[in-house]
Amino acid sequence: MKHAASHRMQGFTLLEVLGALALFAILLMGVYSGVRTATHTVRSGEAAIERVDQVRSAQQFLRRELAQARAVPLAHTDKGDPIYFKGDAHELRFVAPLPGYLGRLGPQLQALKLVSNGDGTSRLEASFALMPPDGSAPKSLGDPEVLVDHVRDGTFSYRSPDTADRAGDWRNAWDDVRAMPRIVRIVLQLDGTSTWPELDAPLRVDAAAIQGQPADLLQGLQRKTVQ
């Protein structure tokens, strides 16, 4: 009996304590790893959702503004001919009213441009300038707004209006002063796993209509025949 009582009073050996500490440390490492993985998953999910929202908002903005493009000259050629729309593979300009209270300022010169980030990616920027009624140079309304960032590659293309003989063709640049494109296509390849659905934004106004040429003023609307 004395021997058993003496053994219980001795407590744990050093090896037993070290073993318990090692098991506890392994348990803590497992818990930390699980928390870290869960946190990373949550952050990745939030980033993916934010990216999807950014893409959706950018596409809605582009569709709305391009649909509201007006046949208002943004510049003139050396011969004095009005330029209603100007675009190439990475930049385009047109005139349209801005939504909400900003639209009360009148037509705005809007520019969409792919700008390099310097790291192999680009960002799609939108800039706005007020068109003074006296015909003076447009006045910037502030710094450009980033619509979509981290773009690996991107291009703009333009479809010409249909004619009685054939459908319009796609072009990599638009420099026709007599008309505006029928559709603007914006194709982007985003960095990461996010995707950019191909965007075809129709323009409804035909600049040729205000020049006395036989063309439809509203290109994108179906006409109804009156019986």
Side-chain angles (χ1 to χ4, degrees):
M1 294 294 293
K2 292 182 178 180
H3 178 73
S6 176
H7 179 73
R8 285 196 298 269
M9 293 178 60
Q10 289 179 358
F12 298 104
T13 66
L14 179 60
L15 289 177
E16 290 174 336
V17 172
L18 291 177
L21 290 175
L23 290 175
F24 184 66
I26 293 174
L27 178 62
L28 286 180
M29 289 179 61
V31 172
Y32 173 75
S33 178
V35 171
R36 184 179 179 183
T37 300
T39 303
H40 177 72
T41 301
V42 170
R43 289 178 178 175
S44 298
E46 290 177 346
I49 293 173
E50 182 178 353
R51 184 67 157 168
V52 170
D53 288 342
Q54 182 187 49
V55 170
R56 184 186 299 113
S57 298
Q59 291 218 343
Q60 290 176 348
F61 172 82
L62 293 170
R63 287 184 184 277
R64 180 180 64 243
E65 295 307 306
L66 286 167
Q68 296 186 94
R70 294 183 176 180
V72 176
L74 56 89
H76 291 80
T77 66
D78 295 337
K79 297 180 180 180
D81 296 325
I83 300 174
Y84 300 102
F85 191 101
K86 189 75 173 177
D88 57 31
H90 298 103
E91 182 178 5
L92 63 88
R93 293 183 296 157
F94 61 98
V95 176
L98 285 175
Y101 74 94
L102 291 175
R104 300 176 184 175
L105 300 175
Q108 316 294 316
L109 173 61
Q110 301 192 27
L112 302 174
K113 185 177 182 180
L114 284 168
V115 181
S116 174
N117 288 325
D119 59 359
T121 66
S122 303
R123 60 188 182 274
L124 178 59
E125 290 186 347
S127 57
F128 313 95
L130 180 64
M131 302 284 290
D134 59 3
S136 58
K139 299 179 181 179
S140 174
L141 292 175
D143 296 333
E145 297 287 341
V146 178
L147 301 180
V148 183
D149 204 354
H150 304 296
V151 178
R152 290 202 310 269
D153 192 18
T155 184
F156 305 154
S157 55
Y158 315 90
R159 180 175 172 177
S160 62
D162 299 340
T163 65
D165 300 329
R166 61 184 179 85
D169 59 328
W170 286 99
R171 308 176 185 178
N172 294 326
W174 189 268
D175 52 11
D176 190 344
V177 300
R178 298 170 299 174
M180 297 169 67
R182 172 68 178 82
I183 301 174
V184 174
R185 174 173 291 173
I186 300 178
V187 179
L188 303 179
Q189 295 181 8
L190 304 182
D191 194 24
T193 59
S194 300
T195 59
W196 171 273
E198 185 176 284
L199 173 64
D200 284 353
L203 278 67
R204 295 176 180 169
V205 175
D206 186 358
I210 69 170
Q211 302 179 43
Q213 300 183 15
D216 293 331
L217 178 61
L218 297 180
Q219 301 186 90
L221 301 181
Q222 274 190 326
R223 290 178 296 179
K224 295 182 179 179
T225 303
V226 178
Q227 300 294 336

